[in-house]
Amino acid sequence: MNACSLQIDQLSLGYRTQSGQVLPVVRAVSLTLGAGETLGLVGESGCGKSTLGMALLGHLRSGNALLGGRVLVGGADVFQLERGALARLRGQQVAFVPQNASQALTPTMRLGAQATEALTLHLGMDLVAAQRQVLDLFERLRLPQAAALLRRYPHELSGGQQQRVVLAMALVRRPAWLILDEPTTGLDVITQAHVLQLLQTITREQGTGMLYISHDLEVVAQVSARVAVMYAGELVEVAPVAMLFADPNHPYTSGLLAALPHVSGQRLPAPIPGQPPALHEISPTCAFAPRCSFVTRQCHAHAPPLGPSAGPLGLAEPLLPGTVPAASIHLVRCHHAQHVATVRSSARANGAGPPALPPSSQTATHEPLLVLHEVRVSYARPSLIERVRRIPAAPATVDNLSLVVHRGETLALVGESGSGKTTLLRAIAGLKAVEAGRMSFGATDLMRSVDQRPHEVRRAIQIVFQNPDASLNPRQTIAQILAQPLRLYFGLTSARCRERAGALLERVRLAPYYLERFPGQLSGGEKQRVAIARAFAAEPELVLCDEVISALDVSVQSAVLELLNALQAEQRVAYLFITHNLAVVRAIADRVAVLYHGRLCEVGPVAGLAEPPWHPYTATLLGATGVLAAATRPMLARDRADPAPPARGCPFQRRCPHHLGPICDEESPPWQELVTGRRICCHLKL
Amino acid sequence: MVELMLTLVLQRLLWSLLVFALVAVVIFVLLELLPGDAATAYLGRTATPARTAQLRERLGLDRPAVVRFAAWTSGVLRGDFGTSLARRAPVATFLWVRLRNSLLLGLLATLISVPLALLLGVLAGLTRDRWPDLLLSLLALFSISLPEFVIGTLLIFSFSLHFTLLPAVTLVDAAAPLAELLPYTVLPTATLTLMLSGYLLSLMRTSIIDALRSEHVQMARLKGLPPLRVLLWHALPGALAPVVTASAMIIAWIIGNLVVVEAVFNYPGIGTLALNAIQDRDLPMVQAIVLVLAGCHLLINLLADLLTLALNPQLRTLRMR
């Protein structure tokens, strides 16, 4: 075999249960990665992609067993290697970058020791030389104060910095292949864009091959030449990036692409019905058949093979190995691949696809519902000593924020983590005291905590949290969970409660038998539907949505968005929708407010967001989402977020690529109104 | 960095002193609240108004409580704990020598059991669910569930009566030199060691199993590091921290159990002294013993705090930012 390739050959991994049953996690996967080749591996959570990734280093997760097949690195089977050789393989040839850098760094070791140990052990380098190499990479990865960093402990770094340290730790060994398991999933869009860019530059230079594992098709497309799509432990489609995006042949791939919210088109992404099968439910024939709209009897009778697609490379003659370069072959596992491709291309020709409804504009009005005026929320509590010594308090988390949510509209609040989005939401919900400013809901004053607000207002403002696992009581059945608001706000009897709860479930597209289930028995998407049903049980006028889809899988995300839209059309409810994803904003919101460090940068209709001018921060966000062409993508002056907002001037002053000088540092920028109705808070002449 | 550590250490030290002072006050107040006083307690049934008054005057019990507290504390600060009623001699003469004997016992038990338990705990964790682990876990379970007087009696039965290897009870004077005392410490130390090790072993086992399952240990393995380096550098430091804190608590708790163990072997430590003092209703002695034991508790916890600080960089660097 080729000495410098990484070859996965019919690899099957799985669990053996105590009853002797075999539950496959990875099923007969074959893939070849040439030297310096970049391959993206895409799939939803639980599809076996991480298990596959670690198997390439000869590592099986606890409980997993090798059921068949092999992994050849440079001709040697990693599962047959003796201990020393396997350690050398991991140290020198194949390096792993984990998803969760904060967990993957040893908390009791200094970063320098962690980053150099593999070098000194495997490459026989002396410590000074190893440190120099690590330092060099730290600097190239734009880590601040690289030299001091060697003596730091992991917890002293931000998430983005930790991720870069982990990346440096892998890259410094100059491995032939890098296995990256969702390396940027925990990061902010802006940090993610930076890390991806640096990763690409360095791997290209070192000639490193990459297997980039992610659930995010767009990220994968940015960094890899080829993409493999995995579903229920199987590869369902493998193709060069451009080909896969232009001409997906598998219904699952096609569905994933349609499920992506897209910044450029204002329409709702289309969900894939159903959900991925659990390990013991995987059908031996086509695993995707239960969710597929192209399904025929053939799909249930015969397992489709992974074969060349009917794309431009043609199926006219049987494909001989070596006739076509491996990198340009398009493989697909579907009986109806050709049909899928033609249906999609004709749909595109007709400009169809999911309905391009300008979402919820039918219900949006100009009647103010929630009004915030110069609101300030702060967590700072000066201690007695600080008060006596007159040390100025830290700037407030949210300050001088004025915002109106109209009846029936969706206002998206966008910003990075730590920008005060959730703080503001908690203040509106009455869970956090507001220090200054005014806040009103209709005619009611909102400047008091939730337990002092009128019953009617408490009913009218509901909240849906990011993580349904944490917001639903695991010891209550769905019926009990839904009965709570019904009894509290409407005083319904038990029988009436059940009836209403059933009706509510129906409205969030869940069957009535879910009433008897516990949250633990539901999938993530179903749980979030229950959380939404609970909010709507109160018949609210305003629903606060805190990153409600970011914990969900792509194919399920769009279903939840669609549900929210449908409920809004039925009930004229207003949403304050918190998100960090601009693409989602385009799909669901009427207006958008961009928040940086708890201060507003820009407010206005979503439609106007497509064209400049933007606030410099909005422009960076758009750039990181991949909307702007790479050449015009603005780079931040500093890619590290500040721990606290500045006391004076523009909140974005320290990272702004268009910084004008002292005026930005000293004076609060003025609000400028554009013709499109957008308002931007900046000193720049727009 | 050094300054920071120094401030942290000083801070803990000050807190400990404060708590110690508080303990002194609480002991004094509690004894005040008891019905009667040292004189009535000591005289018991033999008390007549005249004898009680006489003893009161001799002990200075007729002064107001605040004055007596001041006198007592100033005495304690000078190392004078008052006069024992039963033994008609200064409390301090008995106290220090008995404390020395008990500390010898505690120190020997700690020095043997902590390294032993940690080592065996790691071994059990590494061989999880295989026979070394099963055997060790079973032993630990036994030693945890058997009360100390049962363990002590079993040891006496086997090593003193069945095989007459070791003395069952202490036959030398409390003030004997350490070398003479040493043979009599073997069985009590063994009893304490068994009790301490059981808990620590199971704690260490769970802690190392958790550590070995953590993502950073998996990452260290994926870096191709040799198993010993993974264990010593990546798994152990983090796993030790909770065990150290817990071991201090267990050792401190053992101090209370000294009474029972010393009684079983009639060992002349502070435990038997406390027992006698209580039987004699010798309040000045009881007061002094409680204060000294509380001081030992605080000292051990202080040491554990400092050790945890050294093992956990997250706590050490917390104030830097």
Side-chain angles (χ1 to χ4, degrees):
Chain A
M1 273 288 123
N2 193 346
C4 45
S5 71
L6 192 160
Q7 218 182 12
I8 309 168
D9 183 17
Q10 291 291 317
L11 186 70
S12 295
L13 306 165
Y15 296 98
R16 274 181 221 279
T17 59
Q18 293 194 328
S19 53
Q21 201 189 356
V22 174
L23 295 178
V25 179
V26 172
R27 300 188 294 155
V29 168
S30 295
L31 265 178
T32 305
L33 212 65
E37 203 195 338
T38 53
L39 176 79
L41 185 63
V42 176
E44 292 177 272
S45 55
C47 74
K49 54 190 195 300
S50 297
T51 310
L52 177 64
M54 285 189 208
L56 301 189
L57 290 93
H59 179 83
L60 295 177
R61 290 178 165 188
S62 71
N64 266 354
L66 179 68
L67 302 177
R70 35 184 207 161
V71 176
L72 300 172
V73 177
D77 184 352
V78 296
F79 288 106
Q80 304 299 324
L81 287 178
E82 44 98 20
R83 199 177 259 181
L86 184 64
R88 273 195 300 283
L89 173 108
R90 290 174 180 176
Q92 298 167 5
Q93 282 183 284
V94 189
F96 186 79
V97 179
Q99 168 171 18
N100 209 337
S102 63
Q103 301 290 313
L105 289 165
T106 301
T108 48
M109 272 176 90
R110 294 180 198 275
L111 295 174
Q114 296 194 49
T116 52
E117 61 181 348
L119 281 181
T120 49
L121 276 167
H122 288 294
L123 305 178
M125 222 179 264
D126 67 277
L127 189 64
V128 180
Q131 279 183 340
R132 202 173 319 120
Q133 297 242 334
V134 170
L135 257 181
D136 184 47
L137 258 178
F138 277 6
E139 265 156 21
R140 297 209 49 200
L141 286 168
R142 296 182 55 177
L143 280 161
Q145 297 167 313
L149 223 52
L150 291 177
R151 308 249 330 130
R152 288 282 170 87
Y153 286 99
H155 69 270
E156 297 176 80
L157 274 63
S158 72
Q161 292 171 341
Q162 287 173 337
Q163 196 62 53
R164 273 177 277 180
V165 167
V166 170
L167 206 56
M169 215 156 79
L171 282 170
V172 77
R173 288 174 267 156
R174 294 184 169 263
W177 289 281
L178 212 53
I179 315 292
L180 303 111
D181 188 4
E182 307 253 13
T184 59
T185 302
L187 304 181
D188 268 316
V189 271
I190 293 180
T191 322
Q192 169 174 303
H194 274 280
V195 170
L196 288 181
Q197 210 167 5
L198 295 165
L199 179 71
Q200 254 177 313
T201 320
I202 296 173
T203 49
R204 205 168 289 156
E205 240 179 62
Q206 298 189 348
T208 315
M210 277 203 285
L211 181 72
Y212 195 102
I213 300 170
S214 176
H215 70 280
D216 191 336
L217 260 173
E218 283 182 323
V219 168
V220 163
Q222 270 183 57
V223 291
S224 34
R226 266 201 307 159
V227 178
V229 181
M230 204 165 169
Y231 186 78
E234 271 181 329
L235 292 183
V236 294
E237 189 159 8
V238 185
V241 168
M243 223 183 265
L244 189 90
F245 271 72
D247 188 21
N249 275 200
H250 195 281
Y252 179 59
T253 318
S254 176
L256 277 184
L257 285 171
L260 283 179
H262 213 275
V263 192
S264 49
Q266 195 184 24
R267 61 178 161 80
L268 266 183
I272 304 176
Q275 53 197 325
L279 281 183
H280 61 274
E281 300 171 343
I282 296 177
S283 135
T285 55
C286 176
F288 189 64
R291 297 174 77 184
C292 186
S293 54
F294 295 89
V295 67
T296 60
R297 199 175 302 152
Q298 191 189 5
C299 302
H300 290 298
H302 303 287
L306 185 67
S309 85
L313 281 171
L315 241 191
E317 52 204 294
L319 200 79
L320 296 170
T323 51
V324 184
S328 58
I329 297 178
H330 188 163
L331 296 173
V332 64
R333 185 192 297 276
C334 181
H335 291 305
H336 309 296
Q338 198 158 12
H339 186 45
V340 174
T342 42
V343 166
R344 188 181 152 90
S345 60
S346 69
R348 225 178 2 189
N350 299 336
L357 69 157
S360 71
S361 50
Q362 308 98 319
T363 60
T365 61
H366 291 288
E367 180 191 345
L369 181 65
L370 174 75
V371 181
L372 306 182
H373 183 71
E374 295 179 359
V375 161
R376 178 164 78 220
V377 188
S378 175
Y379 286 102
R381 281 179 184 211
S383 68
L384 190 66
I385 297 173
E386 281 169 338
R387 246 177 285 171
V388 171
R389 292 174 60 188
R390 308 210 170 212
I391 295 173
T397 311
V398 171
D399 201 6
N400 198 15
L401 191 135
S402 302
L403 204 60
V404 179
V405 181
H406 300 111
R407 204 172 274 283
E409 80 166 347
T410 303
L411 175 67
L413 199 59
V414 182
E416 293 173 85
S417 58
S419 61
K421 295 173 295 187
T422 301
T423 303
L424 183 64
L425 211 71
R426 287 168 53 82
I428 296 169
L431 300 170
K432 171 92 188 99
V434 174
E435 225 165 69
R438 272 185 285 118
M439 200 160 67
S440 59
F441 182 79
T444 326
D445 181 27
L446 274 193
M447 296 296 284
R448 37 190 158 165
S449 72
V450 66
D451 46 343
Q452 284 161 2
R453 289 180 182 175
H455 196 67
E456 193 48 31
V457 170
R458 268 188 272 165
R459 182 192 60 73
I461 302 179
Q462 292 293 316
I463 189 163
V464 181
F465 293 97
Q466 172 171 14
N467 190 347
D469 283 320
S471 64
L472 298 178
N473 186 341
R475 292 180 209 294
Q476 289 184 336
T477 62
I478 305 304
Q480 286 171 315
I481 289 172
L482 293 179
Q484 253 164 6
L486 293 173
R487 209 168 297 144
L488 177 66
Y489 296 120
F490 307 109
L492 296 186
T493 59
S494 304
R496 284 283 297 144
C497 267
R498 267 198 81 77
E499 204 177 299
R500 286 280 298 136
L504 279 165
L505 276 191
E506 202 172 304
R507 285 179 56 197
V508 297
R509 325 270 189 274
L510 289 178
Y513 57 78
Y514 278 91
L515 280 177
E516 300 314 321
R517 299 209 176 165
F518 288 93
Q521 296 167 303
L522 271 55
S523 73
E526 288 169 341
K527 272 181 271 195
Q528 200 56 291
R529 282 164 194 269
V530 171
I532 292 170
R534 179 174 60 182
F536 276 88
E539 293 173 15
E541 289 161 52
L542 172 67
V543 177
L544 310 170
C545 303
D546 189 2
E547 298 268 14
V548 285
I549 60 165
S550 60
L552 306 177
D553 264 323
V554 186
S555 72
V556 183
Q557 279 187 359
S558 35
V560 171
L561 285 184
E562 197 184 57
L563 173 70
L564 286 173
N565 245 7
L567 288 170
Q568 183 170 51
E570 283 169 31
Q571 244 177 327
R572 283 190 73 226
V573 57
Y575 291 130
L576 182 58
F577 195 91
I578 285 194
T579 178
H580 65 274
N581 187 343
L582 272 175
V584 170
V585 170
R586 286 299 306 259
I588 185 163
D590 301 303
R591 289 192 310 135
V592 57
V594 180
L595 203 63
Y596 187 78
H597 264 328
R599 282 99 179 124
L600 277 185
C601 298
E602 176 163 354
V603 191
V606 166
L609 212 57
E611 287 148 42
W614 298 286
H615 186 281
Y617 177 59
T618 318
T620 0
L621 272 180
L622 285 168
T625 327
V627 191
L628 306 180
T632 58
R633 232 173 256 173
M635 284 294 264
L636 290 180
R638 278 171 55 187
D639 63 343
R640 189 158 76 116
D642 311 299
R648 277 194 309 279
C650 170
F652 195 51
Q653 55 180 262
R654 295 184 213 140
R655 295 173 80 190
C656 185
H658 303 289
H659 193 270
L660 293 174
I663 185 170
C664 293
D665 300 336
E666 296 298 329
E667 283 175 41
S668 296
W671 279 101
Q672 308 183 46
E673 181 132 11
L674 302 178
V675 270
T676 50
R678 268 160 63 230
R679 290 165 59 234
I680 295 175
C681 183
C682 189
H683 285 297
L684 285 174
K685 294 264 175 302
L686 297 172
Chain B
M1 188 73 192
V2 178
E3 283 158 51
L4 181 94
M5 277 302 278
L6 214 65
T7 355
L8 274 176
V9 170
L10 273 176
Q11 227 172 31
R12 300 280 160 118
L13 206 67
L14 276 176
W15 269 114
S16 299
L17 283 177
L18 194 71
V19 173
F20 187 65
L22 220 70
V23 168
V25 174
V26 169
I27 294 170
F28 191 85
V29 169
L30 273 181
L31 289 182
E32 279 303 304
L33 288 178
L34 282 180
D37 56 18
T40 51
Y42 179 63
L43 293 171
R45 290 200 192 153
T46 63
T48 62
R51 289 185 67 185
T52 318
Q54 194 189 358
L55 188 62
R56 273 200 184 128
E57 203 187 323
R58 191 162 58 95
L59 295 175
L61 290 179
D62 42 0
R63 296 172 298 170
V66 181
V67 177
R68 276 182 289 123
F69 182 70
W72 182 61
T73 35
S74 75
V76 167
L77 288 177
R78 279 181 280 112
D80 174 15
F81 288 89
T83 310
S84 162
L85 297 178
R87 301 172 187 236
R88 298 181 194 278
V91 166
T93 51
F94 303 100
L95 197 64
W96 297 128
V97 85
R98 295 297 192 107
L99 186 65
R100 179 201 71 168
N101 296 349
S102 285
L103 283 184
L104 176 68
L105 219 55
L107 209 66
L108 282 175
T110 309
L111 285 182
I112 297 171
S113 65
V114 171
L116 187 79
L118 296 193
L119 212 67
L120 293 179
V122 171
L123 180 69
L126 288 176
T127 59
R128 188 184 177 195
D129 294 339
R130 294 202 298 273
W131 68 263
D133 175 36
L134 296 179
L135 188 74
L136 287 168
S137 297
L138 196 71
L139 273 177
L141 197 66
F142 255 109
S143 81
I144 292 169
S145 37
L146 285 181
E148 55 272 53
F149 58 86
V150 175
I151 297 181
T153 315
L154 280 177
L155 286 178
I156 290 178
F157 179 77
S158 31
F159 292 102
S160 306
L161 304 179
H162 194 73
F163 308 104
T164 44
L165 293 173
L166 292 159
V169 290
T170 312
L171 299 171
V172 298
D173 184 64
L178 287 182
E180 261 175 61
L181 205 61
L182 225 43
Y184 300 100
T185 58
V186 176
L187 286 185
T189 303
T191 312
L192 285 174
T193 303
L194 274 174
M195 293 183 55
L196 273 173
S197 309
Y199 282 109
L200 284 183
L201 195 156
S202 355
L203 265 173
M204 188 69 231
R205 175 183 177 271
T206 334
S207 193
I208 197 83
I209 285 177
D210 280 348
L212 288 175
R213 261 200 306 231
S214 69
E215 270 180 53
H216 61 261
V217 167
Q218 174 175 301
M219 187 60 210
R221 290 198 186 119
L222 287 178
K223 282 199 305 197
L225 303 177
L228 193 66
R229 190 177 168 91
V230 173
L231 179 70
L232 292 183
W233 284 76
H234 292 270
L236 209 52
L240 270 179
V243 179
V244 165
T245 321
S247 60
M249 274 165 59
I250 293 172
I251 291 169
W253 168 79
I254 279 289
I255 291 176
N257 288 49
L258 272 177
V259 178
V260 181
V261 175
E262 285 178 8
V264 169
F265 296 96
N266 191 29
Y267 181 85
I270 203 160
T272 38
L273 186 67
L275 216 58
N276 292 338
I278 291 167
Q279 278 162 359
D280 297 340
R281 286 175 280 194
D282 188 350
L283 286 193
M285 185 70 100
V286 172
Q287 214 170 344
I289 292 174
V290 172
L291 194 68
V292 166
L293 288 185
C296 289
H297 248 279
L298 282 172
L299 206 65
I300 291 170
N301 278 315
L302 179 68
L303 284 178
D305 273 0
L306 296 182
L307 251 170
T308 316
L309 220 55
L311 281 174
N312 188 345
Q314 215 151 332
L315 292 177
R316 219 185 311 151
T317 51
L318 201 60
R319 313 277 173 91
M320 282 173 73
R321 289 180 296 168

